[in-house]
Amino acid sequence: MTATALKGLKIPLPPLDEQRRIAGILDAADALRRRRREALALLDTLPGAIFAEMFLSTSPGQPVRPAQPLSDLVDAVSGSTPSKGNKAFWNGDIPWISPKDMKSDDLDRAILNITEEATKTGKAKIVGPDVTLIVIRGMILAHSIPVCDLRVPASFNQDVKALIPRKGVSNIFISAALRASRKRLLSMVSNAAHGTKRIEMGDLMNFPIPKATSAEQETFVGAIAEVAAQRGRFADASHDGETLFASLQSRAFAGEL
């Protein structure tokens, strides 16, 4: 829009009392959507709090819960990148995970997909569902350690490790344990020869994980599922609140409120 057109734009200006009435409606709708955003933010912190309460907190005078190395609980699988020069390897139906995709705790899709051919004649491997993915190389490790629960079968690149839980071990528990120790994991990050950040696999596989029985892990997973269900309901309500606010704004400036 040009400056001339902008200057010629007509904005409805109702009487002051009417303006106040409309502002009150918009303020109430805005307060509602802000409260829902705050509730979602609190729910996002709840899994970590539940993990800490169950596996990290101890009563006064009680011994700290014993730990065991990550290598006792999972098998690590390395990723790879199929040849970008082979078109038969790309644009298929199999998600190919890179650190760019790992922006939430749950992961079921990727920016890029590969074909089954890439897994047969290339080096790509498929893992999942229900495994933990962790970034072990890349500049993102300068400030964060992405950890995701993979929900679908997928492949992944060489900057990511897949941690396959052994029998009686929950990937949800493993992921939560790693997220709860992000500061400690960050302290383990070193520089590769070419300047990028990395976590040495020996250090990662020796990382201490609190000991927990299968029953305790199942209880934890159940609690996390409850939180996820509650978050889903709040997310739907938050979306409805955003839609309502946008609708009220549109109607207000159209003189229909």
Side-chain angles (χ1 to χ4, degrees):
M1 180 179 290
T2 65
T4 301
L6 185 61
K7 289 179 180 179
L9 187 65
K10 294 183 179 181
I11 299 176
L13 186 63
L16 186 57
D17 286 347
E18 182 67 3
Q19 292 180 45
R20 288 172 176 161
R21 184 186 71 83
I22 293 172
I25 294 172
L26 293 177
D27 283 347
D30 185 48
L32 177 62
R33 69 173 183 167
R34 280 189 284 107
R35 285 196 295 270
R36 286 172 173 169
R37 288 175 185 169
E38 291 167 358
L40 281 173
L42 286 173
L43 283 169
D44 286 341
T45 67
L46 198 50
I50 294 172
F51 183 88
E53 177 66 25
M54 290 186 64
F55 304 112
L56 300 181
S57 299
T58 58
S59 301
Q62 295 297 314
V64 175
R65 180 183 283 260
Q68 58 190 319
L70 180 62
S71 59
D72 286 355
L73 303 170
V74 303
D75 294 306
V77 177
S78 300
S80 63
T81 300
S83 172
K84 294 291 183 71
N86 191 333
K87 294 182 179 180
F89 288 168
W90 296 93
N91 299 316
D93 299 322
I94 303 169
W96 181 74
I97 309 297
S98 76
K100 293 180 181 179
D101 300 299
M102 297 175 61
K103 297 178 180 179
S104 63
D105 289 353
D106 293 319
L107 195 57
D108 62 3
R109 66 193 66 188
I111 297 171
L112 299 176
N113 285 6
I114 61 173
T115 63
E116 189 175 350
E117 183 71 13
T119 69
K120 290 181 177 179
T121 60
K123 296 181 180 179
K125 300 172 184 175
I126 297 180
V127 297
D130 302 326
V131 305
T132 296
L133 297 181
I134 181 171
V135 176
I136 50 93
R137 188 174 66 179
M139 294 312 296
I140 194 171
L141 297 180
H143 54 80
S144 63
I145 309 288
V147 176
C148 297
D149 292 303
L150 183 61
R151 300 302 188 186
V152 297
S155 187
F156 52 102
N157 79 359
Q158 58 273 16
D159 295 335
V160 177
K161 284 286 183 181
L163 305 178
I164 315 297
R166 293 179 184 165
K167 186 176 180 180
V169 179
S170 164
N171 73 289
I172 304 294
F173 170 77
I174 295 297
S175 298
L178 293 172
R179 293 188 193 106
S181 303
R182 274 184 168 135
K183 288 185 179 179
R184 187 169 178 178
L185 285 168
L186 278 170
S187 71
M188 293 163 40
V189 173
S190 61
N191 291 321
H194 49 289
T196 192
K197 304 293 183 180
R198 69 180 179 186
I199 296 177
E200 297 288 352
M201 279 308 297
D203 293 337
L204 179 62
M205 297 307 284
N206 283 325
F207 195 80
I209 304 295
K211 287 188 176 181
T213 65
S214 295
E216 287 175 320
Q217 292 182 44
E218 288 177 8
T219 299
F220 174 71
V221 171
I224 297 305
E226 289 281 346
V227 173
Q230 183 74 353
R231 193 192 188 286
R233 290 190 288 270
F234 268 87
D236 289 341
S238 181
H239 179 268
D240 291 343
E242 298 289 345
T243 301
L244 173 63
F245 185 77
S247 174
L248 289 173
Q249 277 188 316
S250 178
R251 290 171 60 192
F253 287 105
E256 300 172 355
L257 192 59

